[in-house]
Amino acid sequence: MFSKMVFVVFISSFVYWYVSIALPSAGYNSVIRQSLHYFSRPGGGRVRSQITDDSAWTGPELSKNTSRWLVVLTDEQQQEIVKIVADLSKQKPLQKVRRGDANWPQWMHTILNKTKHELQSGLGLIVIRGLPVNSLTEEQQQFLFWSLGFEIGIPGAQDDDGNLLGHIRDIGGNPKTERQYKTRSYIPFHNDAADVVGLLCLKSAKKGGTSRVVSSTTVFNKLLERLTEEELETLYQPVTLDTRGSGGVNTFTVKPFAVNEAGKLQTFYHEDYFKSCYEYVGVPPPSDKLLKALDTYNEILAEPDLALDMDFLEGDIQLISNHVTLHSRTEFEDYPEFENRRHLLRLWVSFESDMSIKDRFWCELEKARILSGMAISKAKVFLFGGYGVRR
């Protein structure tokens, strides 16, 4: 039995490694390659004191100074976008579009440079308002968003089927067992598995659907005041996450906190999926210290005057860092007509790696840990029929 399990782990690890690393890229990231890039963060350090950089903010602070994170396009800029996207959509299919294919003018590059700065070393948030989505066809809307993604970094697939852009709309999904973007339900604070998540609003909800963004840096600062060092340490260690079936496994472990050589904290958190993972057979219960840390994190997220709330307008693009912010959505009510129902396009983007040798070493170690853990999970399902089944 043991030798059989070793063989299955070896084969599974090789398949994951080949698909995510060795297989030549199509110019954009596969969902596995993208997720590994995001989760395999350098993490040898610890943060012991309050963080005071630009990523530490509160909602009321940003509400009073919208110029820090909101860019509004002019009528002339909107008209220029329509022409550029119409020309681009005639040149090649969407999956062939690369950086530089769209003839973006200097003013757009100025906006995108500001966007990259805020996402990589600033607030972790930017909103571009006034994209002319109603003057574009459905296909052209996708060309617009995908092309902008390439100007920011490397876009990636959304799911195991290789879909390039996610359609965020209510299709009657079960919020307890399926990805929550397929529902109209409240979505708790979380991160997506990419450096950046972008949302382009095509249609607003009849009521509700408010986007909420918090600084995970600010949450961390509050945790420092409320947790013991031992309790906080549990969030630097691997924690089980419910994938809801993505990536071919039901669960795997991730580190909520990682600190690179420069002392920069990066956070991954998923309020709901960190809880639902314990519904699977074979997943051990959390320790008391971890449970205290997760409960405290959730209590902080529920505090008033922490989140920046915004109601999407048609033509809004929201781009946020999954390292220094978390996002949520309130429940919403739709219009009865399908064509008028709330509809967002989702884009995932990875930044090209620029790190020290030491940080790269930590990333490769973490990548190996994640891959072997996923392979072991697959092997247990193969060898023990009841393992990994939701209770």
Side-chain angles (χ1 to χ4, degrees):
M1 176 67 75
F2 177 75
S3 60
K4 187 177 181 181
M5 182 171 181
V6 170
F7 175 75
V8 173
V9 169
F10 173 78
I11 294 298
S12 299
S13 296
F14 176 79
V15 170
Y16 276 120
W17 171 81
Y18 181 74
V19 170
S20 62
I21 301 170
L23 191 66
S25 173
Y28 55 88
N29 285 329
S30 69
V31 67
I32 295 179
R33 183 193 293 264
Q34 179 174 249
S35 298
L36 277 175
H37 170 84
Y38 172 73
F39 284 119
S40 59
R41 301 173 293 183
R46 299 290 185 270
V47 175
R48 308 294 185 189
S49 58
Q50 297 279 312
I51 301 171
T52 58
D53 62 25
D54 286 347
S55 69
W57 49 263
T58 65
E61 291 171 359
L62 294 192
S63 295
K64 295 175 183 176
N65 191 1
T66 58
S67 62
R68 292 185 65 190
W69 54 272
L70 179 63
V71 177
V72 182
L73 301 178
T74 66
D75 291 344
E76 292 78 10
Q77 290 170 336
Q78 293 176 21
Q79 293 169 13
E80 195 167 356
I81 289 172
V82 172
K83 183 180 184 305
I84 292 170
V85 174
D87 291 342
L88 177 64
S89 64
K90 298 173 184 176
Q91 294 176 18
K92 56 183 67 178
L94 181 66
Q95 62 268 26
K96 298 293 185 180
V97 171
R98 299 292 181 268
R99 181 178 305 163
D101 285 345
N103 188 26
W104 294 117
Q106 184 56 48
W107 61 260
M108 178 61 86
H109 287 292
T110 299
I111 292 173
L112 295 174
N113 286 337
K114 172 181 171 61
T115 297
K116 286 187 282 188
H117 168 75
E118 293 298 344
L119 293 174
Q120 292 184 290
S121 56
L123 299 172
L125 161 73
I126 200 83
V127 174
I128 305 173
R129 175 157 291 167
L131 280 299
V133 292
N134 291 325
S135 298
L136 301 173
T137 66
E138 183 175 334
E139 180 186 51
Q140 289 170 344
Q141 292 166 350
Q142 297 182 45
F143 271 87
L144 166 64
F145 208 17
W146 187 247
S147 173
L148 291 178
F150 264 110
E151 300 300 327
I152 296 169
I154 304 174
Q158 299 277 315
D159 51 37
D160 299 333
D161 296 327
N163 291 310
L164 303 185
L165 293 167
H167 291 268
I168 311 302
R169 64 198 332 169
D170 177 27
I171 60 172
N174 184 341
K176 293 184 178 180
T177 59
E178 297 182 68
R179 301 285 296 279
Q180 293 165 320
Y181 70 85
K182 299 177 181 180
T183 77
R184 67 177 63 187
S185 302
Y186 159 71
I187 301 179
F189 281 105
H190 66 284
N191 294 114
D192 290 357
D195 292 337
V196 173
V197 57
L199 295 172
L200 169 60
C201 180
L202 305 180
K203 291 290 183 180
S204 303
K206 179 180 180 181
K207 181 180 180 182
T210 298
S211 173
R212 312 195 72 212
V213 184
V214 300
S215 162
S216 54
T217 305
T218 299
V219 175
F220 177 83
N221 286 340
K222 290 177 177 288
L223 280 176
L224 284 176
E225 301 170 351
R226 304 186 193 183
L227 294 179
T228 66
E229 190 169 321
E230 292 77 14
E231 291 165 345
L232 190 65
E233 178 63 25
T234 63
L235 297 179
Y236 286 104
Q237 303 302 318
V239 176
T240 306
L241 176 75
D242 184 356
T243 70
R244 304 289 170 98
S246 294
V249 294
N250 290 327
T251 64
F252 72 105
T253 59
V254 300
K255 294 179 180 179
F257 293 160
V259 181
N260 65 17
E261 188 177 8
K264 180 71 173 179
L265 175 74
Q266 296 176 313
T267 298
F268 173 82
Y269 196 79
H270 205 306
E271 183 177 346
D272 211 29
Y273 290 12
F274 276 156
K275 293 178 181 178
S276 60
C277 66
Y278 299 108
E279 298 173 6
Y280 289 101
V281 174
V283 177
S287 68
D288 290 342
K289 288 185 176 64
L290 175 59
L291 196 58
K292 172 68 180 302
L294 294 175
D295 287 345
T296 304
Y297 205 111
N298 294 339
E299 289 169 5
I300 294 171
L301 289 174
E303 291 180 2
D305 296 332
L306 191 67
L308 174 67
D309 292 351
M310 62 184 80
D311 292 313
F312 284 133
L313 304 179
E314 293 178 8
D316 279 357
I317 286 182
Q318 178 197 74
L319 293 153
I320 56 177
S321 165
N322 279 308
H323 295 295
V324 297
T325 72
L326 298 100
H327 56 285
S328 172
R329 183 196 72 195
T330 65
E331 185 178 8
F332 65 89
E333 177 185 346
D334 252 334
Y335 291 97
E337 307 85 10
F338 180 81
E339 63 274 13
N340 291 327
R341 293 178 182 176
R342 186 181 192 267
H343 185 195
L344 310 178
L345 286 181
R346 183 180 62 202
L347 172 74
W348 283 341
V349 178
S350 299
F351 288 124
E352 292 160 292
S353 297
D354 180 19
M355 61 181 70
S356 68
I357 294 176
K358 181 178 179 181
D359 282 345
R360 191 174 298 278
F361 172 75
W362 275 106
C363 285
E364 292 306 315
L365 281 181
E366 184 64 7
K367 192 175 295 183
R369 185 195 68 78
I370 292 171
L371 286 171
S372 61
M374 295 175 74
I376 289 171
S377 179
K378 294 282 285 186
K380 287 181 177 179
V381 172
F382 177 76
L383 295 172
F384 312 109
Y387 181 86
V389 177
R390 194 181 291 274
R391 295 184 177 93

